[in-house]
Short mmCIF file of all heavy atoms in Angstrom, two decimals:
data_model
loop_
_atom_site.label_atom_id
_atom_site.label_comp_id
_atom_site.label_asym_id
_atom_site.label_seq_id
_atom_site.Cartn_x
_atom_site.Cartn_y
_atom_site.Cartn_z
N VAL A 1226 141.23 -90.88 270.99
CA VAL A 1226 141.22 -91.06 272.44
C VAL A 1226 142.47 -92.03 272.97
O VAL A 1226 142.83 -91.93 274.07
CB VAL A 1226 139.93 -91.65 273.07
CG1 VAL A 1226 138.76 -90.62 272.84
CG2 VAL A 1226 139.59 -92.95 272.45
N ALA A 1227 142.95 -92.86 271.96
CA ALA A 1227 144.12 -93.71 272.34
C ALA A 1227 145.49 -92.91 272.59
O ALA A 1227 146.27 -93.43 273.09
CB ALA A 1227 144.13 -94.71 271.25
N VAL A 1228 145.46 -91.65 272.28
CA VAL A 1228 146.64 -90.90 272.48
C VAL A 1228 146.78 -90.50 273.92
O VAL A 1228 147.71 -89.89 274.22
CB VAL A 1228 146.82 -89.67 271.47
CG1 VAL A 1228 146.81 -90.35 269.96
CG2 VAL A 1228 145.67 -88.77 271.60
N HIS A 1229 145.79 -90.60 274.67
CA HIS A 1229 145.72 -90.21 275.92
C HIS A 1229 146.30 -91.40 276.81
O HIS A 1229 145.84 -92.52 276.77
CB HIS A 1229 144.36 -89.89 276.57
CG HIS A 1229 144.38 -89.28 277.88
ND1 HIS A 1229 144.43 -89.99 279.11
CD2 HIS A 1229 144.15 -87.97 278.38
CE1 HIS A 1229 144.44 -89.21 280.19
NE2 HIS A 1229 144.22 -87.91 279.61
N GLN A 1230 147.36 -91.10 277.59
CA GLN A 1230 147.99 -92.29 278.41
C GLN A 1230 147.19 -93.17 279.20
O GLN A 1230 147.27 -94.39 279.08
CB GLN A 1230 149.18 -91.67 279.23
CG GLN A 1230 150.16 -92.59 279.68
CD GLN A 1230 151.38 -92.07 280.48
OE1 GLN A 1230 151.24 -90.90 281.11
NE2 GLN A 1230 152.60 -92.56 280.29
N GLU A 1231 146.31 -92.61 280.05
CA GLU A 1231 145.54 -93.38 280.90
C GLU A 1231 144.43 -94.19 280.07
O GLU A 1231 144.14 -95.40 280.49
CB GLU A 1231 144.92 -92.56 281.99
CG GLU A 1231 144.23 -93.29 283.03
CD GLU A 1231 143.77 -92.50 284.34
OE1 GLU A 1231 144.34 -91.29 284.55
OE2 GLU A 1231 142.88 -93.00 285.04
N ILE A 1232 143.93 -93.51 279.22
CA ILE A 1232 142.83 -94.25 278.35
C ILE A 1232 143.50 -95.39 277.52
O ILE A 1232 142.86 -96.42 277.60
CB ILE A 1232 142.20 -93.25 277.34
CG1 ILE A 1232 141.39 -92.20 278.09
CG2 ILE A 1232 141.25 -93.89 276.28
CD1 ILE A 1232 140.23 -92.65 278.85
N ALA A 1233 144.69 -95.14 277.00
CA ALA A 1233 145.47 -96.12 276.16
C ALA A 1233 145.79 -97.28 277.28
O ALA A 1233 145.45 -98.49 276.76
CB ALA A 1233 146.69 -95.64 275.68
N SER A 1234 146.10 -97.04 278.56
CA SER A 1234 146.37 -98.12 279.37
C SER A 1234 145.12 -98.85 279.80
O SER A 1234 145.13 -100.13 279.79
CB SER A 1234 146.91 -97.56 280.75
OG SER A 1234 148.14 -96.98 280.38
N ARG A 1235 144.05 -98.20 279.89
CA ARG A 1235 142.69 -98.92 280.20
C ARG A 1235 142.26 -99.79 278.95
O ARG A 1235 141.75 -100.86 279.21
CB ARG A 1235 141.67 -97.90 280.60
CG ARG A 1235 141.91 -97.22 281.91
CD ARG A 1235 140.95 -96.18 282.15
NE ARG A 1235 139.93 -96.63 283.08
CZ ARG A 1235 138.91 -95.81 283.63
NH1 ARG A 1235 138.83 -94.57 283.10
NH2 ARG A 1235 138.01 -96.40 284.34
N LEU A 1236 142.40 -99.14 277.83
CA LEU A 1236 141.85 -100.00 276.63
C LEU A 1236 142.67 -101.05 276.33
O LEU A 1236 142.18 -102.16 275.92
CB LEU A 1236 141.75 -98.95 275.43
CG LEU A 1236 140.68 -97.94 275.44
CD1 LEU A 1236 140.82 -96.92 274.16
CD2 LEU A 1236 139.31 -98.45 275.52
N ILE A 1237 144.04 -100.92 276.40
CA ILE A 1237 144.85 -102.17 276.01
C ILE A 1237 144.69 -103.34 277.01
O ILE A 1237 144.93 -104.47 276.61
CB ILE A 1237 146.40 -101.74 275.89
CG1 ILE A 1237 147.18 -102.75 275.13
CG2 ILE A 1237 147.08 -101.56 277.23
CD1 ILE A 1237 148.43 -102.27 274.60
N SER A 1238 144.26 -103.01 278.29
CA SER A 1238 144.14 -103.91 279.32
C SER A 1238 142.65 -104.45 279.37
O SER A 1238 142.35 -105.39 280.23
CB SER A 1238 144.38 -103.46 280.68
OG SER A 1238 145.87 -103.17 280.68
N SER A 1239 141.86 -103.97 278.47
CA SER A 1239 140.39 -104.37 278.49
C SER A 1239 140.07 -105.49 277.53
O SER A 1239 140.94 -105.89 276.77
CB SER A 1239 139.57 -103.14 278.22
OG SER A 1239 139.62 -102.79 276.81
N GLN A 1240 138.81 -105.72 277.38
CA GLN A 1240 138.39 -106.75 276.46
C GLN A 1240 138.53 -106.23 274.93
O GLN A 1240 138.25 -107.04 274.12
CB GLN A 1240 137.01 -107.31 276.82
CG GLN A 1240 135.91 -106.35 276.53
CD GLN A 1240 135.44 -105.57 277.88
OE1 GLN A 1240 136.28 -105.23 278.69
NE2 GLN A 1240 134.26 -105.23 277.96
N LEU A 1241 138.78 -104.95 274.84
CA LEU A 1241 138.72 -104.39 273.47
C LEU A 1241 139.98 -104.93 272.73
O LEU A 1241 139.94 -105.15 271.54
CB LEU A 1241 138.85 -102.84 273.56
CG LEU A 1241 139.18 -102.13 272.27
CD1 LEU A 1241 137.87 -102.36 271.42
CD2 LEU A 1241 139.47 -100.85 272.60
N PHE A 1242 141.18 -105.17 273.47
CA PHE A 1242 142.37 -105.57 272.68
C PHE A 1242 142.25 -106.87 271.98
O PHE A 1242 142.55 -106.87 270.84
CB PHE A 1242 143.54 -105.44 273.61
CG PHE A 1242 144.84 -105.46 272.93
CD1 PHE A 1242 145.32 -104.48 272.25
CD2 PHE A 1242 145.64 -106.70 273.04
CE1 PHE A 1242 146.62 -104.40 271.67
CE2 PHE A 1242 146.94 -106.79 272.42
CZ PHE A 1242 147.32 -105.61 271.67
N PRO A 1243 141.71 -107.84 272.59
CA PRO A 1243 141.58 -109.22 271.94
C PRO A 1243 140.53 -108.97 270.73
O PRO A 1243 140.76 -109.66 269.62
CB PRO A 1243 141.06 -110.18 272.95
CG PRO A 1243 141.33 -109.58 274.17
CD PRO A 1243 141.42 -108.02 274.06
N ILE A 1244 139.58 -108.16 270.84
CA ILE A 1244 138.65 -107.87 269.64
C ILE A 1244 139.42 -107.14 268.56
O ILE A 1244 139.10 -107.38 267.35
CB ILE A 1244 137.34 -107.12 270.22
CG1 ILE A 1244 136.52 -108.00 271.08
CG2 ILE A 1244 136.64 -106.60 269.03
CD1 ILE A 1244 135.31 -107.33 271.79
N LEU A 1245 140.27 -106.20 268.95
CA LEU A 1245 141.05 -105.62 267.85
C LEU A 1245 141.95 -106.70 267.17
O LEU A 1245 142.02 -106.55 265.82
CB LEU A 1245 141.90 -104.52 268.44
CG LEU A 1245 141.21 -103.27 268.95
CD1 LEU A 1245 142.20 -102.31 269.69
CD2 LEU A 1245 140.62 -102.51 267.81
N ILE A 1246 142.58 -107.46 267.97
CA ILE A 1246 143.29 -108.48 267.27
C ILE A 1246 142.52 -109.51 266.33
O ILE A 1246 142.81 -109.79 265.14
CB ILE A 1246 144.02 -109.51 268.27
CG1 ILE A 1246 145.12 -108.53 269.15
CG2 ILE A 1246 144.75 -110.67 267.72
CD1 ILE A 1246 145.63 -109.37 270.29
N GLN A 1247 141.32 -109.73 266.76
CA GLN A 1247 140.44 -110.65 265.95
C GLN A 1247 139.95 -109.81 264.74
O GLN A 1247 139.97 -110.37 263.54
CB GLN A 1247 139.20 -111.00 266.77
CG GLN A 1247 138.07 -111.70 266.08
CD GLN A 1247 136.77 -111.76 266.71
OE1 GLN A 1247 136.57 -111.36 267.93
NE2 GLN A 1247 135.73 -112.29 266.16
N GLN A 1248 139.61 -108.54 264.83
CA GLN A 1248 139.31 -107.77 263.63
C GLN A 1248 140.53 -107.72 262.56
O GLN A 1248 140.35 -107.70 261.49
CB GLN A 1248 138.84 -106.40 264.12
CG GLN A 1248 137.56 -106.35 264.61
CD GLN A 1248 136.46 -106.82 263.73
OE1 GLN A 1248 136.36 -106.40 262.61
NE2 GLN A 1248 135.59 -107.86 264.31
N LEU A 1249 141.76 -107.61 263.28
CA LEU A 1249 142.91 -107.60 262.30
C LEU A 1249 143.10 -108.99 261.60
O LEU A 1249 143.49 -108.94 260.52
CB LEU A 1249 144.19 -107.33 263.12
CG LEU A 1249 145.41 -107.08 262.49
CD1 LEU A 1249 145.43 -105.92 261.65
CD2 LEU A 1249 146.65 -106.94 263.47
N ARG A 1250 142.55 -110.03 262.24
CA ARG A 1250 142.61 -111.34 261.63
C ARG A 1250 141.47 -111.59 260.53
O ARG A 1250 141.78 -112.13 259.52
CB ARG A 1250 142.56 -112.38 262.70
CG ARG A 1250 142.62 -113.91 262.16
CD ARG A 1250 142.50 -114.88 263.16
NE ARG A 1250 143.86 -114.85 263.96
CZ ARG A 1250 143.82 -114.48 265.32
NH1 ARG A 1250 142.85 -114.26 265.91
NH2 ARG A 1250 145.08 -114.52 265.89
N VAL A 1251 140.30 -111.11 260.94
CA VAL A 1251 139.11 -111.62 260.11
C VAL A 1251 138.61 -110.51 259.25
O VAL A 1251 137.77 -110.83 258.37
CB VAL A 1251 138.05 -112.19 261.00
CG1 VAL A 1251 138.50 -113.42 261.73
CG2 VAL A 1251 137.37 -111.08 261.89
N ALA A 1252 138.81 -109.33 259.39
CA ALA A 1252 138.23 -108.27 258.54
C ALA A 1252 138.47 -108.37 257.07
O ALA A 1252 139.66 -108.58 256.82
CB ALA A 1252 138.58 -106.86 259.02
N SER A 1253 137.61 -108.38 256.36
CA SER A 1253 137.77 -108.55 254.89
C SER A 1253 138.12 -107.22 254.19
O SER A 1253 138.79 -107.21 253.26
CB SER A 1253 136.47 -109.21 254.12
OG SER A 1253 135.49 -108.31 254.40
N ASN A 1254 137.81 -106.10 254.78
CA ASN A 1254 138.03 -104.89 254.36
C ASN A 1254 139.45 -104.35 254.81
O ASN A 1254 139.81 -104.22 256.06
CB ASN A 1254 136.93 -103.81 254.90
CG ASN A 1254 137.17 -102.41 254.40
OD1 ASN A 1254 138.37 -101.90 254.22
ND2 ASN A 1254 135.98 -101.82 254.14
N TRP A 1255 140.43 -104.17 253.87
CA TRP A 1255 141.80 -103.77 254.31
C TRP A 1255 141.89 -102.40 254.86
O TRP A 1255 142.83 -102.18 255.65
CB TRP A 1255 142.72 -103.87 253.10
CG TRP A 1255 143.11 -105.34 252.91
CD1 TRP A 1255 142.50 -106.16 251.84
CD2 TRP A 1255 143.99 -105.99 253.60
NE1 TRP A 1255 143.19 -107.39 251.96
CE2 TRP A 1255 144.12 -107.42 252.99
CE3 TRP A 1255 144.87 -105.75 254.73
CZ2 TRP A 1255 144.88 -108.36 253.66
CZ3 TRP A 1255 145.75 -106.76 255.13
CH2 TRP A 1255 145.79 -108.08 254.64
N ASP A 1256 140.82 -101.55 254.62
CA ASP A 1256 140.85 -100.29 255.39
C ASP A 1256 140.76 -100.41 256.77
O ASP A 1256 141.28 -99.78 257.58
CB ASP A 1256 139.83 -99.30 254.75
CG ASP A 1256 140.26 -98.75 253.38
OD1 ASP A 1256 141.55 -98.66 253.19
OD2 ASP A 1256 139.31 -98.39 252.50
N ILE A 1257 139.72 -101.37 257.08
CA ILE A 1257 139.49 -101.65 258.55
C ILE A 1257 140.77 -102.22 259.12
O ILE A 1257 141.13 -101.91 260.26
CB ILE A 1257 138.18 -102.57 258.68
CG1 ILE A 1257 136.96 -101.83 258.29
CG2 ILE A 1257 138.23 -103.08 260.12
CD1 ILE A 1257 135.71 -102.58 258.26
N ARG A 1258 141.39 -103.15 258.46
CA ARG A 1258 142.52 -103.79 259.11
C ARG A 1258 143.66 -102.82 259.35
O ARG A 1258 144.31 -102.69 260.35
CB ARG A 1258 143.09 -104.84 258.15
CG ARG A 1258 142.38 -106.23 258.18
CD ARG A 1258 143.03 -107.11 257.13
NE ARG A 1258 142.63 -108.51 257.62
CZ ARG A 1258 143.15 -109.61 257.03
NH1 ARG A 1258 144.09 -109.42 255.95
NH2 ARG A 1258 142.71 -110.80 257.29
N ALA A 1259 143.78 -101.78 258.37
CA ALA A 1259 144.90 -100.75 258.53
C ALA A 1259 144.57 -100.00 259.72
O ALA A 1259 145.42 -99.48 260.52
CB ALA A 1259 144.89 -99.97 257.22
N LYS A 1260 143.21 -99.58 259.93
CA LYS A 1260 142.92 -98.69 261.05
C LYS A 1260 142.90 -99.46 262.43
O LYS A 1260 143.31 -98.91 263.52
CB LYS A 1260 141.43 -98.14 260.90
CG LYS A 1260 141.36 -97.07 259.85
CD LYS A 1260 142.29 -95.93 260.01
CE LYS A 1260 142.28 -95.01 258.97
NZ LYS A 1260 143.59 -94.41 258.51
N VAL A 1261 142.61 -100.69 262.48
CA VAL A 1261 142.79 -101.49 263.51
C VAL A 1261 144.22 -101.56 264.00
O VAL A 1261 144.55 -101.44 265.20
CB VAL A 1261 142.17 -103.09 263.41
CG1 VAL A 1261 142.69 -103.97 264.57
CG2 VAL A 1261 140.69 -103.03 263.28
N ALA A 1262 145.12 -101.77 262.94
CA ALA A 1262 146.56 -101.79 263.30
C ALA A 1262 146.96 -100.39 263.79
O ALA A 1262 147.86 -100.39 264.85
CB ALA A 1262 147.29 -102.21 262.02
N ARG A 1263 146.40 -99.36 263.30
CA ARG A 1263 146.75 -98.00 263.74
C ARG A 1263 146.25 -97.85 265.39
O ARG A 1263 147.08 -97.34 266.06
CB ARG A 1263 146.22 -96.92 262.97
CG ARG A 1263 146.55 -95.67 263.48
CD ARG A 1263 146.15 -94.52 262.46
NE ARG A 1263 146.60 -93.26 263.02
CZ ARG A 1263 146.28 -92.01 262.41
NH1 ARG A 1263 145.47 -91.98 261.50
NH2 ARG A 1263 146.70 -91.03 263.03
N VAL A 1264 145.07 -98.35 265.59
CA VAL A 1264 144.61 -98.17 266.98
C VAL A 1264 145.63 -99.02 267.84
O VAL A 1264 145.99 -98.48 268.94
CB VAL A 1264 143.13 -98.68 267.04
CG1 VAL A 1264 142.73 -98.78 268.55
CG2 VAL A 1264 142.22 -97.79 266.25
N ILE A 1265 145.82 -100.30 267.45
CA ILE A 1265 146.80 -101.09 268.23
C ILE A 1265 148.17 -100.47 268.46
O ILE A 1265 148.67 -100.38 269.47
CB ILE A 1265 147.02 -102.57 267.64
CG1 ILE A 1265 145.71 -103.25 267.75
CG2 ILE A 1265 148.14 -103.31 268.30
CD1 ILE A 1265 145.81 -104.63 266.91
N GLY A 1266 148.69 -99.83 267.46
CA GLY A 1266 149.91 -99.12 267.57
C GLY A 1266 149.99 -97.94 268.33
O GLY A 1266 150.80 -97.64 269.23
N LEU A 1267 148.82 -97.25 268.41
CA LEU A 1267 148.61 -96.02 269.24
C LEU A 1267 148.55 -96.42 270.72
O LEU A 1267 149.11 -95.83 271.63
CB LEU A 1267 147.38 -95.14 268.82
CG LEU A 1267 147.60 -94.33 267.61
CD1 LEU A 1267 146.24 -93.79 267.15
CD2 LEU A 1267 148.65 -93.29 267.82
#
């Protein structure tokens, strides 16, 4: 869903973005970290 321009704009400006950053920082599973990075990039 992040590839849709309006959805991406809403998600990046929501409380989701800080949670993604937190997951990138604390997730012990590197697969999760990689996917979190991909979502942030998209």
